[in-house]
Amino acid sequence: MYKKLFLLLLIALIPLFPQTLYANEYETPSGIPLSEVEDYVDDYVSDYIGKTTAGASIVIVKNNEIVLSKEYGFGDIENQVKIDSGTSIFEWGSISKLFVWVSVMQLVEQGKINLDEDIRNYLPNGFIKHLKYDDPITMLDLMNHTAGFEERIFDLGYANANQLKPLDVGLQIAEPNQIYRPGEVVAYSNYSTSLAAYIVQLITDQDFNEYVEEHIFQRLGFSDSTAYLLSESNEQIIKNKVNGYELVDKGKFERSTEYYMSLYPSGAINGTAQDLAKFSNALMPQSQNKNVLFENEDTLKKLLSQSHSANEHAPGIAHGFWEYDGTYKGFTHGGNTNSFSSNFHIVPEENFSVIILTNQASELDISYGLVKELVGEKEQHTVSSSHLPSSKSLEGKYISARRIESGFLNLYAYLVPLTVTSINEKEIEVSLAGATAVYTQTYPDVYKMKNGHPLFIPTSVLYFSNDDGDIKQVHTSISDYLPMDKSPYWLTINAILAVYCFLFFILSPFVLIISNILSRKRKKQSLKIRKWIYLLNFAGAAFVLNVSLLIIRMLRNIDRAYTEVLPHIVTNYILTIISSISIAFFLINIKQDKTTKFQFYLYLLTIISIILLISLLITWQFYS
């Protein structure tokens, strides 16, 4: 009888203490029981480690306690050395940017930085030179990547540490052009972040890496991480650093070349996943303990509050963090170098975080795929289909706002566009670089990823803004896309003409040799103009060789100083001068020499082809 009464009483009291009974039932935001997390992760990564991913270090934190800290794969594949637990050092890539934004907010808290102030008021006079607009650029623009800078690859980093420059010098060498009006377009920018770090350096009168070490790393108790790897005190960290790899084929990995960032605040921190877990704990709501990063809890709240969004139903940016549309609102940032890939994801509402570091370039399956499984997806409350516009109007090709506009690398954006195709009235297929995903419309012109390649997980929500039905921008929290500004037909014609010019100047020397042999047999010599045509063909073949070598060098390694490609640019100018002189002397001497019709038309075709080739090189900026 007493047992029955006790049981009934217990059942009646269950609603009064649900946390006690259910706290450990669903520990991850996606609903995976804490007791099953390790098995789940083990099973997930087994499909990738050693097959498409070299190695990984994974840490999962719940309620400020590490519930999983585990390493997979090899840090040295050649010698079969496994990644060590808690000591293996990885490059964090762009996760490093988060430490710039925390530094900025520390100075905001102290009243030394105003987020809405024009950054030129903090910089030396004339420090930024390549501005297109007079509008002020604020620190908030730098945090939101809306300062309007184009992408720049040259001098961002180098394969040789001896090429590194001090931060201020590196910023001046690598300064990009401003191509968008401030505040209008999100164009992810390494330069913006490093510029913000330089402002921290100027205000504190302390090298940025030293500031981070003192005001963030030491406060958090980092033991195996450094903001500047080449410091003499980092001998042990360098020793513990794992090798970075590129995936050549399934199960086959190739050692990557070393990479040293000149604009180091944007992506040069090296450290462990366990130290990043300490960082994630400091970003959680502090109910009892004082926050070690900020004096005022409101500063942390401001840091993780939305600072930019194009639509209320689409995730935006929170002072440098990317908002994530998961089961619960997340804040995240990925990282990529030419040897490592990483992902840092926190869910403050659930006091949950996951950190994934891999020693492989462009890794997506674990760093993004596993995170998605752990944090889950937000349940969508879609608007009635009758209130949603047709997806047909979205079809087309879009180029990334994070693009190079100045110089020959501007061609890349047109070779790899974002392509949108309508599947039905409310679904679209999005493709990029051979990867595809299906998106479903959840609100007017807002599309949520339904399924597809992990490449699209960071941009799982797209918002298409329009002006009277014409798509103006495709908004994501990382970087926007803009409608293609060149006709596909125009691009196709350019491609055909380029192939023609290359083939012509590869084959024409052989045709000229045959023509010369035939002319000698017939005793029909045209020496005066023939030598200029020969020179013209030499110039054309040299153009083809020079541009081909430039493309091959960039494909093999894009981490170069501009001075390394400058000889190719200068060569194009020299060959253009040679070509112009050759054409001029040919026209002067054409009436003095006798030529066959075949020779005359061949010579004329050569002139037209060289002019066409030079025009294409000018169009695609192979002279800058």
Side-chain angles (χ1 to χ4, degrees):
M1 180 69 178
Y2 291 108
K3 289 183 179 180
K4 289 183 179 180
L5 287 172
F6 178 78
L7 183 60
L8 289 171
L9 180 62
L10 184 64
I11 293 173
L13 290 175
I14 283 177
L16 300 179
F17 48 91
Q19 295 297 319
T20 304
L21 294 179
Y22 296 116
N24 295 323
E25 184 66 24
Y26 296 107
E27 288 293 339
T28 73
S30 63
I32 301 171
L34 179 63
S35 59
E36 299 176 14
V37 166
E38 184 172 1
D39 289 339
Y40 185 92
V41 173
D42 287 346
D43 183 60
Y44 185 95
V45 302
S46 65
D47 290 336
Y48 306 104
I49 294 293
K51 301 168 187 175
T52 59
T53 305
S57 178
I58 300 173
V59 175
I60 298 173
V61 182
K62 176 70 177 176
N63 295 330
N64 299 97
E65 292 185 3
I66 292 178
V67 297
L68 175 70
S69 178
K70 200 166 184 179
E71 282 66 39
Y72 302 87
F74 294 99
D76 183 347
I77 294 176
E78 294 79 11
N79 296 306
Q80 294 292 284
V81 178
K82 290 186 177 181
I83 297 174
D84 291 331
S85 176
T87 59
S88 290
I89 305 298
F90 293 75
E91 292 177 6
W92 292 359
S94 287
I95 290 176
S96 306
K97 290 180 172 67
L98 300 181
F99 293 82
V100 176
W101 308 133
V102 168
S103 301
V104 167
M105 293 304 294
Q106 287 178 337
L107 297 183
V108 168
E109 185 176 65
Q110 298 168 29
K112 295 177 180 179
I113 288 180
N114 182 338
L115 295 181
D116 297 316
E117 181 81 13
D118 191 330
I119 60 169
R120 283 170 286 192
N121 294 332
Y122 299 112
L123 295 167
N125 189 35
F127 189 83
I128 309 177
K129 300 179 178 67
H130 305 155
L131 298 181
K132 181 179 179 180
Y133 300 96
D134 294 328
D135 304 48
I137 299 173
T138 66
M139 179 60 75
L140 206 54
D141 284 324
L142 299 184
M143 299 176 107
N144 294 334
H145 299 277
T146 55
F149 295 122
E150 68 173 325
E151 175 76 324
R152 182 182 168 105
I153 292 176
F154 295 121
D155 297 294
L156 173 65
Y158 310 104
N160 191 329
N162 295 329
Q163 295 175 279
L164 289 175
K165 309 289 191 301
L167 181 57
D168 59 336
V169 177
L171 284 165
Q172 291 179 308
I173 292 174
E175 183 185 346
N177 290 326
Q178 185 186 48
I179 59 175
Y180 309 113
R181 189 178 295 280
E184 292 188 353
V185 177
V186 176
Y188 186 81
S189 172
N190 288 299
Y191 185 83
S192 288
T193 309
S194 294
L195 190 60
Y198 180 55
I199 291 173
V200 171
Q201 181 169 300
L202 289 171
I203 291 173
T204 60
D205 198 25
Q206 198 175 11
D207 283 350
F208 178 75
N209 62 293
E210 293 177 359
Y211 178 90
V212 170
E213 295 275 358
E214 179 182 343
H215 296 276
I216 301 179
F217 286 13
Q218 289 180 21
R219 292 188 188 184
L220 295 176
F222 281 12
S223 55
D224 299 294
S225 301
T226 178
Y228 196 74
L229 185 65
L230 299 180
S231 172
E232 293 180 1
S233 62
N234 290 331
E235 183 179 343
Q236 189 61 40
I237 290 179
I238 294 172
K239 183 180 178 182
N240 290 339
K241 185 174 178 179
V242 299
N243 295 338
Y245 294 92
E246 295 177 8
L247 179 65
V248 178
D249 201 354
K250 190 171 184 178
K252 185 178 180 182
F253 304 90
E254 184 177 277
R255 181 85 180 267
S256 301
T257 56
E258 293 294 331
Y259 181 67
Y260 303 93
M261 284 195 72
S262 179
L263 304 187
Y264 72 89
S266 289
I269 295 181
N270 285 253
T272 64
Q274 288 71 22
D275 276 349
L276 269 175
K278 297 174 184 176
F279 180 56
S280 75
N281 285 342
L283 297 173
M284 295 298 171
Q286 308 294 310
S287 56
Q288 296 177 345
N289 300 325
K290 181 182 177 182
N291 191 290
V292 295
L293 294 176
F294 306 110
E295 293 296 324
N296 192 327
E297 185 72 17
D298 289 340
T299 307
L300 176 59
K301 291 178 181 177
K302 178 159 186 154
L303 173 65
L304 297 181
S305 65
Q306 189 175 87
S307 56
H308 177 84
S309 180
N311 184 281
E312 62 177 324
H313 300 299
I317 301 169
H319 298 88
F321 286 76
W322 300 330
E323 294 181 333
Y324 186 80
D325 197 34
T327 303
Y328 301 91
K329 188 174 185 178
F331 300 89
T332 182
H333 208 292
N336 281 285
T337 67
N338 68 339
S339 305
F340 292 79
S341 301
S342 56
N343 196 4
F344 176 87
H345 194 112
I346 61 173
V347 186
E349 187 178 348
E350 286 288 289
N351 208 327
F352 178 88
S353 60
V354 54
I355 297 101
I356 297 179
L357 305 178
T358 76
N359 59 330
Q360 182 183 306
S362 304
E363 202 282 333
L364 295 166
D365 295 311
I366 296 177
S367 56
Y368 284 104
L370 177 58
V371 169
K372 180 183 177 182
E373 294 300 316
L374 293 171
V375 301
E377 294 184 87
K378 183 178 180 181
E379 185 178 346
Q380 297 300 324
H381 300 283
T382 57
V383 175
S384 171
S385 298
S386 61
H387 294 90
L388 297 175
S390 171
S391 67
K392 282 286 184 183
S393 62
L394 311 180
E395 289 192 320
K397 295 183 182 296
Y398 302 84
I399 55 175
S400 175
R402 184 191 180 184
R403 57 176 290 226
I404 299 169
E405 187 177 84
S406 309
F408 64 91
L409 289 175
N410 80 99
L411 180 62
Y412 179 79
Y414 297 97
L415 295 177
V416 191
L418 181 82
T419 303
V420 176
T421 307
S422 173
I423 298 175
N424 53 51
E425 287 295 301
K426 59 179 292 188
E427 286 189 328
I428 58 173
E429 181 182 79
V430 178
S431 61
L432 178 68
T436 60
V438 174
Y439 285 73
T440 301
Q441 190 173 192
T442 54
Y443 295 94
D445 296 318
V446 177
Y447 284 76
K448 172 80 172 176
M449 181 179 170
K450 181 179 178 182
N451 56 64
H453 196 279
L455 173 68
F456 296 97
I457 293 175
T459 54
S460 61
V461 179
L462 306 176
Y463 166 57
F464 294 79
S465 63
N466 66 82
D467 184 9
D468 293 330
D470 294 326
I471 301 303
K472 202 167 101 183
Q473 278 172 243
V474 183
H475 301 268
T476 80
S477 56
I478 297 176
S479 198
D480 293 344
Y481 289 85
L482 305 171
M484 183 80 78
D485 58 354
K486 288 180 171 55
S487 162
Y489 301 106
W490 187 85
L491 292 171
T492 301
I493 291 171
N494 272 254
I496 292 171
L497 292 176
V499 171
Y500 160 76
C501 289
F502 269 58
L503 290 176
F504 181 89
F505 286 109
I506 290 171
L507 299 174
S508 63
F510 300 102
V511 176
L512 279 174
I513 291 170
I514 295 171
S515 174
N516 184 46
I517 293 172
L518 293 175
S519 296
R520 285 182 177 180
K521 287 182 178 180
R522 297 171 184 170
K523 296 181 180 181
K524 291 182 179 180
Q525 300 293 320
S526 53
L527 185 59
K528 285 184 179 180
I529 63 171
R530 183 158 42 89
K531 64 183 179 183
W532 297 113
I533 291 297
Y534 273 34
L535 189 57
L536 204 57
N537 274 272
F538 161 78
F543 266 127
V544 170
L545 178 61
N546 183 52
V547 172
S548 298
L549 285 174
L550 175 58
I551 293 171
I552 291 170
R553 289 184 70 203
M554 293 306 299
L555 288 174
R556 289 182 63 185
N557 181 17
I558 64 172
D559 306 313
R560 298 181 181 277
Y562 183 68
T563 53
E564 292 183 63
V565 301
L566 189 57
H568 293 280
I569 305 301
V570 173
T571 299
N572 284 340
Y573 277 102
I574 294 171
L575 293 174
T576 302
I577 293 171
I578 292 173
S579 300
S580 301
I581 293 172
S582 300
I583 292 171
F585 276 94
F586 171 84
L587 295 175
I588 291 171
N589 293 288
I590 184 65
K591 292 183 179 180
Q592 300 177 23
D593 279 11
K594 293 181 179 180
T595 60
T596 65
K597 282 187 177 182
F598 175 76
Q599 288 174 327
F600 176 79
Y601 288 121
L602 179 61
Y603 296 164
L604 185 61
L605 186 59
T606 301
I607 292 172
I608 293 172
S609 298
I610 200 76
I611 292 174
L612 186 58
L613 178 57
I614 291 171
S615 299
L616 287 170
L617 294 178
I618 291 173
T619 299
W620 293 106
Q621 302 183 59
F622 277 86
Y623 291 85
S624 62

